[in-house]
Amino acid sequence: MGMNKNTVLGWATLIMVIMGLILIGLGVYKYADVAGWGFSAVGVGFLANAWVFNALKGRV
């Protein structure tokens, strides 16, 4: 059984949510200086992209 478009978008959403949370965690806990703001901003961007991918499931 192969993966269809919705399955690929589901996996991409899951991976992007995990990476976004990891980046936000790195920005908060490991890099608490100026670099942490960048890590956290990129993590929020990953979560926004994951939200878009989740909204596209079933419409593609």
Side-chain angles (χ1 to χ4, degrees), residues 19-38:
M19 284 304 299
L21 293 175
I22 288 172
L23 285 170
I24 291 172
L26 279 173
V28 170
Y29 294 112
K30 184 166 175 61
Y31 302 109
D33 53 350
V34 177
W37 288 98

Side-chain angles (χ1 to χ4, degrees), residues 2-57:
M3 292 196 315
N4 58 11
K5 293 179 221 176
N6 289 329
T7 307
V8 171
L9 282 173
W11 279 106
T13 301
L14 179 67
I15 291 169
M16 290 191 81
V17 165
I18 291 170
M19 284 304 299
L21 293 175
I22 288 172
L23 285 170
I24 291 172
L26 279 173
V28 170
Y29 294 112
K30 184 166 175 61
Y31 302 109
D33 53 350
V34 177
W37 288 98
F39 274 92
S40 297
V42 171
V44 170
F46 266 80
L47 292 180
N49 282 336
W51 182 24
V52 170
F53 280 0
N54 191 32
L56 286 174
K57 279 193 321 190

